[in-house]
Amino acid sequence: MNAYLITRDGSTWADVVRLIPGESVTVGRAPTNTIVLKDERCSRNHAEIFFAQGNWKLRDLDSRNGTLVSGERLSGDHSLEAGDILQIGNSQLAFVHDLSQAFPDSSSLLKSSRPVDPSDDTYGVETAEAESIFEAFEPTTITHRKDQSRFLDTPSSIGDTDEVVPKVGRAAAQLCRLAFELAKSTDVVSLANVAMTGLFEGTHVDAGAILLRQRDDSGNRSGDELEVIASRSDSDHSYHRVSPFLISTVLRDGQAVMARNVMDDSNLGNRDSRGEILATSVICAPIRRASEIFGLVHLYTTDPDRTTDPEDLEFTLAVADTVGVALENLNKRQVLAENLNQARTENVELREKLGVQSEIIGSSDVMHRVAQQIARAAPSRATVLVRGESGVGKELVARAVHFSSPRAKGPFVCLNCAALSETLLESELFGHEKGAFTGATDRKVGKFEQSDKGTLMLDEIGEMSQSVQAKFLRVLEGHPFERVGGAQAIKVDVRVIAATNRDLEKDVAEGKFRRDLYFRLHVLEILVPGLRKRPEDIPELAEFFLRRFSDETGRNLKGYSPRAMEQLLRYRWPGNVRELKNVIERAVVLATGEYVDHEDLVLSRLKTAGETEGGGEPSALAKEYEPMSLAEIEREHILRTLNSTGWNKSRAAGILGIERSTLDRKIRRYELARQKP
């Protein structure tokens, strides 16, 4: 059964809304409602009318002033009956099933909140106005439905329409379909092929081509030479290029031309090698946009019984202009794509210059592997464990992972677990409430809350105590936590990157580190090698730090002396990149010349982490560098060889690879003598 809502505006009935089962109608002051009432006593979302259990029902949406039905305040869902008056604020709506019976002359079906006096002069006026409104709101009848225009169908699907559709109409439909296909072209060649197909369907030709001007240095098509982009020939002869006469005529005047009975080979170039006429009629149309001409369309026919007419010229010119618009749009899309790629490249370069990635210096194979590991780990949400000796740049790797991840816009918070006691570390991680312990004068937000929607980097994770490890593991598993001294559960979305220089496997075996926490952290691992394992990066790092500290101190240092660079390469760097940075900073301050010399480098005598373990004398390769000349090195080596052979000169000469007489001369030159026990 039909159902309608009639809205009243002042003293007249203003609008009719048809109710459709399955579609709810909302009433309120907000513009998103189906029926919008501009009434201050009406709430933004006041009431709802919906169809349920075979009846239309009214529900008040917790409005401020309530909803009245025939004078009674609504409580709960109300089933509407024909003639019910809905009063919302100062507005009224009538519910009816038949518009013709909405206002009968004698007995009204409308149940008003006040009695209607038929003797009232305004009653007849309102009834006549309402009836005129109802006549204007007759139900809409849909007469046709179509999901796709036949003008975009292929000619075979349209059928034989030559007799029922005029040629102009067929040409318009073909142009519409062709423009639709040209707009989908992604490159110039496909665009030209689509245009050629449309031209052969709409004209009486059997050969032709699309020719475009060559691009100049700036990328515009304004060159003098024309290149064939797409050609086609349905005759026995291959396509013959357009003559220079027609090219100059079309490009000069910017007009399409058609010529018949072509006989002059010098002008039109339409004879084959045997002198036979190839073209009986020719059409040339400029491909243009505004005052710029990109190229031309060249069509001709070789069949004497099949000639072109002025309508073919009209169609060719329309296609040429359409190709010009499509070509311009394609050029614009290509320019936008190039600009977008360039902008992305520049954006990456700027982020590398401004971001942390510029701090990761090194072109060695091991650093390339580290960069690849960062790229693979960044998009994931998994926990990352960064391992490496002290000073290798684990925090820089963590920053690079963060700024390369989808969380780059979120915060990056770093905390050194080794720098705090157990109590302070728990407070720093989870925060504390006021009065939680002595000195807690205010509430403190922990690092986990600070890094919500971002990344939390925990350096020296192996120094964390067992009790804090247990709480930390629960947060990693996604459980909420509480501040120290607090009772409110807090849940955050944080990605954790842990870093350590300890052997966690050994700590797990000894019971110093929780096994379950180790497996939770050891999801993705990035191993940063020590500086001595990538000596090819030392010159690049040294130059980087030299430029930085030279700019900071105002020094104009040109570089390193050969001996200084040799010393940097031979040193074992137990402090890794951090030590190299400090050594270069000190050298920049102490340097007296234009170059940093070996005397400006202050290197320690500490051993690397691998050399400090175990007893015994370190190997010759692991010894710290000592400045020595080649003669001094040769003297010491010969002396050691002689001592090892018990001063057997023949054996020593064989080991050294020299003659016995040569060994005697070197013993005398270096004044070597056998040491007594």
Side-chain angles (χ1 to χ4, degrees):
M1 183 179 295
N2 294 333
Y4 304 92
L5 274 180
I6 311 168
T7 62
R8 185 182 183 107
D9 185 8
S11 61
T12 61
W13 296 96
D15 200 359
V16 176
V17 177
R18 185 177 181 180
L19 303 178
I20 302 175
E23 298 182 6
S24 63
V25 175
T26 58
V27 184
R29 198 174 71 252
T32 56
N33 291 288
T34 310
I35 301 177
V36 180
L37 300 178
K38 298 181 180 180
D39 191 335
E40 294 182 355
R41 293 176 55 82
C42 178
S43 300
R44 291 183 58 84
N45 298 289
H46 197 102
E48 179 184 15
I49 298 97
F50 57 94
F51 191 80
Q53 299 176 352
N55 295 319
W56 285 99
K57 296 188 177 183
L58 172 66
R59 176 183 297 168
D60 185 84
L61 300 178
D62 297 329
S63 61
R64 182 180 57 193
N65 297 313
T67 303
L68 302 179
V69 180
S70 299
E72 297 182 1
R73 190 180 181 92
L74 183 66
S75 60
D77 294 346
H78 174 77
S79 297
L80 294 174
E81 299 179 1
D84 281 346
I85 296 293
L86 286 62
Q87 186 168 352
I88 297 177
N90 297 323
S91 303
Q92 293 181 348
L93 298 92
F95 176 80
V96 297
H97 289 300
D98 190 351
L99 294 178
S100 63
Q101 298 178 359
F103 286 97
D105 294 336
S106 57
S107 59
S108 175
L109 294 177
L110 295 178
K111 302 174 183 178
S112 176
S113 58
R114 61 178 177 83
V116 180
D117 186 3
S119 63
D120 191 351
D121 295 336
T122 62
Y123 176 74
V125 176
E126 293 179 2
T127 303
E129 291 178 351
E131 290 175 348
S132 64
I133 291 174
F134 298 153
E135 293 176 358
F137 283 96
E138 289 295 331
T140 302
T141 302
I142 299 175
T143 60
H144 296 81
R145 290 181 181 271
K146 189 74 173 179
D147 61 348
Q148 183 176 350
S149 172
R150 68 183 180 87
F151 294 130
L152 298 180
D153 292 338
T154 59
S156 60
S157 61
I158 295 177
D160 188 8
T161 59
D162 291 344
E163 296 182 357
V164 297
V165 181
K167 187 174 181 180
V168 175
R170 293 198 306 272
Q174 288 174 339
L175 283 174
C176 178
R177 186 169 61 253
L178 181 60
F180 184 76
E181 294 297 327
L182 289 175
K184 297 189 295 183
S185 301
T186 58
D187 57 84
V188 176
V189 176
S190 62
L191 185 147
N193 288 324
V194 170
M196 288 301 301
T197 302
L199 286 167
F200 273 65
E201 292 176 357
T203 60
H204 300 87
V205 298
D206 53 25
I210 301 290
L211 299 94
L212 296 180
R213 283 176 161 174
Q214 293 183 352
R215 296 183 182 274
D216 54 16
D217 296 337
S218 59
N220 299 322
R221 293 191 179 275
S222 59
D224 296 332
E225 297 293 331
L226 293 176
E227 57 179 341
V228 178
I229 304 301
S231 63
R232 175 176 169 179
S233 177
D234 293 344
S235 65
D236 296 335
H237 305 278
S238 61
Y239 167 74
H240 280 249
R241 190 181 178 90
V242 62
S243 68
F245 172 76
L246 286 180
I247 292 177
S248 59
T249 301
V250 174
L251 296 183
R252 181 185 68 248
D253 300 335
Q255 297 178 343
V257 298
M258 182 177 65
R260 293 180 180 176
N261 300 323
V262 178
M263 301 294 293
D264 189 355
D265 178 55
S266 62
N267 286 338
L268 299 178
N270 290 300
R271 293 177 182 268
D272 62 8
S273 59
R274 295 172 295 178
E276 296 179 354
I277 297 176
L278 296 177
T280 59
S281 60
V282 178
I283 293 177
C284 278
I287 299 174
R288 60 197 177 186
R289 182 61 179 162
S291 60
E292 185 178 0
I293 298 178
F294 302 131
L296 55 86
V297 176
H298 175 221
L299 303 173
Y300 62 87
T301 177
T302 59
D303 187 358
D305 298 331
R306 186 182 183 185
T307 60
T308 59
D309 54 30
E311 292 185 355
D312 291 334
L313 180 64
E314 291 279 356
F315 184 81
T316 303
L317 183 59
V319 172
D321 287 339
T322 306
V323 171
V325 174
L327 188 61
E328 184 184 34
N329 292 336
L330 182 60
N331 292 337
K332 289 182 178 179
R333 289 203 302 267
Q334 290 176 348
V335 170
L336 289 175
E338 292 174 358
N339 292 340
L340 179 61
N341 291 333
Q342 183 179 0
R344 287 175 176 172
T345 303
E346 292 176 354
N347 188 26
V348 172
E349 292 176 353
L350 288 175
R351 290 188 63 182
E352 288 182 352
K353 290 179 180 178
L354 298 177
V356 66
Q357 293 186 13
S358 62
E359 300 283 344
I360 303 179
I361 306 298
S363 55
S364 61
D365 293 339
V366 291
M367 291 308 297
H368 280 307
R369 286 195 293 270
V370 171
Q372 292 174 357
Q373 292 174 349
I374 292 174
R376 288 194 294 265
S380 172
R381 295 171 54 91
T383 305
V384 180
L385 180 61
V386 183
R387 310 183 75 160
E389 299 175 6
S390 178
V392 295
K394 296 187 291 295
E395 182 178 347
L396 296 180
V397 172
R399 289 180 179 273
V401 172
H402 168 74
F403 287 109
S404 301
S405 70
R407 299 172 176 262
K409 295 183 179 179
F412 178 82
V413 181
C414 184
L415 177 64
N416 190 338
C417 300
L420 301 171
S421 63
E422 179 179 342
T423 304
L424 291 178
L425 178 59
E426 184 178 359
S427 173
E428 285 291 327
L429 281 175
F430 309 111
H432 63 255
E433 298 291 346
K434 182 178 180 180
F437 51 85
T438 304
T441 57
D442 296 298
R443 189 180 73 173
K444 178 181 177 61
V445 176
K447 299 298 184 184
F448 268 107
E449 291 182 75
Q450 295 177 21
S451 55
D452 189 25
K453 308 298 182 184
T455 303
L456 174 62
M457 189 256 182
L458 297 177
D459 197 7
E460 305 299 344
I461 189 71
E463 306 296 333
M464 186 180 291
S465 64
Q466 291 273 352
S467 60
V468 179
Q469 288 179 27
K471 298 180 180 179
F472 177 58
L473 177 60
R474 282 189 54 82
V475 180
L476 281 183
E477 295 291 347
H479 298 283
F481 63 92
E482 299 174 356
R483 299 190 187 98
V484 178
Q488 180 184 0
I490 302 171
K491 189 175 180 62
V492 293
D493 178 17
V494 176
R495 182 185 190 179
V496 174
I497 299 179
T500 183
N501 61 354
R502 296 175 61 95
D503 187 352
L504 292 184
E505 291 80 359
K506 181 180 178 181
D507 290 345
V508 170
E510 296 177 354
K512 298 179 181 178
F513 199 82
R514 292 179 61 97
R515 179 182 297 270
D516 48 3
L517 178 57
Y518 168 77
F519 289 116
R520 186 63 181 83
L521 292 175
H522 198 257
V523 180
L524 297 176
E525 182 180 272
I526 299 178
L527 180 60
V528 186
L531 187 57
R532 65 183 177 279
K533 296 182 180 179
R534 48 187 179 103
E536 55 268 34
D537 292 335
I538 293 177
E540 189 175 353
L541 285 165
E543 290 293 337
F544 173 79
F545 290 129
L546 180 65
R547 290 193 302 270
R548 170 191 284 186
F549 296 125
S550 295
D551 294 339
E552 291 180 1
T553 58
R555 302 292 303 274
N556 188 19
L557 296 175
K558 297 182 179 180
Y560 299 88
S561 66
R563 192 167 180 181
M565 182 56 66
E566 180 185 359
Q567 191 167 346
L568 291 175
L569 291 172
R570 294 188 60 180
Y571 184 59
R572 300 289 292 167
W573 299 110
N576 292 294
V577 181
R578 182 186 293 118
E579 182 184 6
L580 175 62
K581 174 185 174 182
N582 296 333
V583 168
I584 302 304
E585 183 177 10
R586 186 186 304 112
V588 170
V589 176
L590 299 179
T592 56
E594 295 181 346
Y595 294 87
V596 174
D597 199 5
H598 70 284
E599 297 179 352
D600 303 322
L601 302 176
V602 180
L603 303 176
S604 69
R605 294 182 176 273
L606 294 176
K607 298 179 181 179
T608 61
E611 294 169 348
T612 56
E613 297 178 359
E617 183 180 355
S619 63
L621 185 62
K623 282 190 174 181
E624 60 273 12
Y625 169 75
E626 294 179 6
M628 297 176 66
S629 65
L630 291 176
E632 291 174 336
I633 295 175
E634 185 180 41
R635 180 184 185 280
E636 183 176 356
H637 183 59
I638 293 175
L639 181 59
R640 286 189 175 186
T641 304
L642 289 170
N643 290 333
S644 65
T645 60
W647 275 79
N648 187 326
K649 295 182 180 181
S650 298
R651 288 181 56 195
I655 294 173
L656 295 172
I658 58 177
E659 297 292 336
R660 169 69 182 271
S661 58
T662 304
L663 177 60
D664 291 331
R665 287 196 302 270
K666 292 183 179 294
I667 292 175
R668 291 192 297 270
R669 180 194 305 171
Y670 295 132
E671 299 180 353
L672 300 178
R674 185 172 184 176
Q675 297 179 354
K676 296 181 180 180

